[in-house]
Amino acid sequence: MSAERAMVLLAGKVHPRVRERVEAEFDAVSIEAADAGLLSDETRNRVRGMASGTRISADFIDSLPNLEVIANFGVGYDAVDAAHAATRKVMVTNTPDVLSDEVADTTVGLLLNALRELPKAEAYLRAGRWASEGAYPLTSLTLRGRTVGIFGLGRIGLAIARRLEAFGLPIHYHTRTKRSDVDYTWHEKLIDMATAVDTLIVIVPGGAATENAVNADVLAALGPQGVLISVGRGTTIDEPALISALANRTIAAAGLDVFAHEPNVPQALLDLPNACLLPHVASASVSTRNGMADLVVDNLKEWLAGRPAITPVPECAGFDRGSS
């Protein structure tokens, strides 16, 4: 390996484009899991950057004495102990913006699928039932006349709001603080917003602050015509409570792209006819994932060259950057 190039660790399952570029532009070393025991002392001392595709703990960060930057693939970075990294002055980056439009598009599609049963209608046609049994039954739910509440109005949440605003729907939102740049109705408490709307879209990060935030009380407040759409992190939804709410018709339907224990989805959820389920594909187009991969590597390049990171996470946004 070239002594002139920084060593970058590929930790866990990384996107092929990340691997290709890191191997071309740095001295690269790969491990399947973030386990310091998989690295020699010499390698641990040489690692300056990391492209992460797995959980990165405080202990693993501490095992790399010369680590400078962790580049996370994805907007959500709850798998990386960014708070601890910040205490070590290790930069953590993520990949916002490049996937916002793709996720927002998918969210609208998932909402329409949950309301209008489009996947079920297509299956009906493909099974020959249109010809043998007649027209697909009228759907009881529609997008018309709905009021949307968005839990999390960051980059993606705002992109979703703009799209649904174009459908002529009133928009409410719940965030920790009120935004000054939008005219949508703000709610200080999630349950108050759920009471005021009949369509709840969840697009907040994972972590302790949002775990099971959408619970039985929130679902009950949403009401019998209520529809839940989840595209952020599966841990924000109390899955047993959601299963019960769907089975008992406490709410009318749900559309989920994320789950608490991926890729394992509860059988009870799979069995529900009023749940529309996707395998975490909101940003899963070739162009979007390639854009995310490029941003991962570009963050590594900038930081290791002594320049500011392109997309630092909030915990690291105030770091000064001297030359390497």
Side-chain angles (χ1 to χ4, degrees):
M1 293 187 292
S2 171
E4 289 77 24
R5 300 199 299 180
M7 177 171 280
V8 170
L9 177 65
L10 299 166
K13 185 177 181 181
V14 299
H15 190 277
R17 191 179 182 100
V18 172
R19 179 176 299 279
E20 178 184 2
R21 286 195 58 191
V22 167
E23 289 177 345
E25 301 180 41
F26 302 98
D27 281 348
V29 59
S30 299
I31 52 176
E32 294 182 358
D35 179 355
L38 299 175
L39 300 169
S40 68
D41 290 345
E42 178 185 1
T43 298
R44 287 193 296 104
N45 287 327
R46 287 194 57 205
V47 169
R48 291 177 57 202
M50 185 193 313
S52 64
T54 187
R55 183 163 296 280
I56 306 298
S57 68
D59 288 344
F60 188 65
I61 293 169
D62 288 342
S63 75
L64 305 171
N66 295 305
L67 181 66
E68 300 176 35
V69 55
I70 302 170
N72 180 75
F73 185 91
V75 175
Y77 57 94
D78 45 297
V80 178
D81 194 333
H84 182 73
T87 68
R88 284 268 319 274
K89 296 299 181 183
V90 173
M91 171 58 66
V92 179
T93 66
N94 62 344
T95 59
D97 296 326
V98 290
L99 76 167
S100 297
D101 286 334
E102 199 78 76
V103 175
D105 292 347
T106 305
T107 302
V108 174
L110 183 56
L111 174 58
L112 288 169
N113 282 350
L115 290 167
R116 297 300 319 283
E117 303 176 8
L118 302 181
K120 293 167 67 175
E122 181 179 3
Y124 185 90
L125 178 152
R126 289 181 178 276
R129 297 179 64 187
W130 187 16
S132 63
E133 300 178 33
Y136 185 79
L138 302 181
T139 58
S140 61
L141 299 175
T142 177
L143 191 61
R144 300 298 91 225
R146 288 196 160 265
T147 301
V148 176
I150 301 177
F151 179 17
L153 202 68
R155 294 176 178 89
I156 300 174
L158 188 59
I160 294 168
R162 298 301 191 204
R163 283 158 172 75
L164 293 177
E165 186 179 18
F167 279 82
L169 304 178
I171 307 295
H172 296 230
Y173 71 101
H174 165 63
T175 52
R176 284 176 292 184
T177 56
K178 185 177 182 179
R179 294 186 61 140
S180 61
D181 57 343
V182 299
D183 294 327
Y184 307 137
T185 302
W186 176 69
H187 296 268
E188 184 176 3
K189 296 180 179 179
L190 175 59
I191 195 162
D192 291 342
M193 182 175 75
T195 302
V197 304
D198 54 22
T199 306
L200 175 59
I201 297 175
V202 182
I203 184 63
V204 289
T210 60
E211 186 172 359
N212 289 338
V214 179
N215 55 26
D217 291 340
V218 171
L219 294 169
L222 196 56
Q225 292 300 307
V227 174
L228 171 71
I229 304 296
S230 178
V231 290
R233 281 290 184 267
T235 54
T236 62
I237 310 297
D238 182 338
E239 280 188 354
L242 174 60
I243 290 166
S244 177
L246 288 168
N248 297 329
R249 299 287 173 164
T250 301
I251 65 172
L256 311 175
D257 184 52
V258 291
F259 305 89
H261 303 289
E262 297 177 2
N264 301 306
V265 179
Q267 186 62 47
L269 198 52
L270 295 172
D271 292 340
L272 287 166
N274 51 345
C276 184
L277 311 175
L278 298 177
H280 203 151
V281 296
S283 66
S285 71
V286 171
S287 61
T288 294
R289 291 290 174 87
N290 282 345
M292 294 165 64
D294 285 337
L295 185 52
V296 166
V297 181
D298 290 345
N299 269 304
L300 289 169
K301 288 180 64 177
E302 292 301 298
W303 191 257
L304 293 175
R307 296 184 289 268
I310 302 168
T311 51
V313 303
E315 290 88 340
C316 304
F319 284 8
D320 291 327
R321 188 58 170 125
S323 59
S324 297

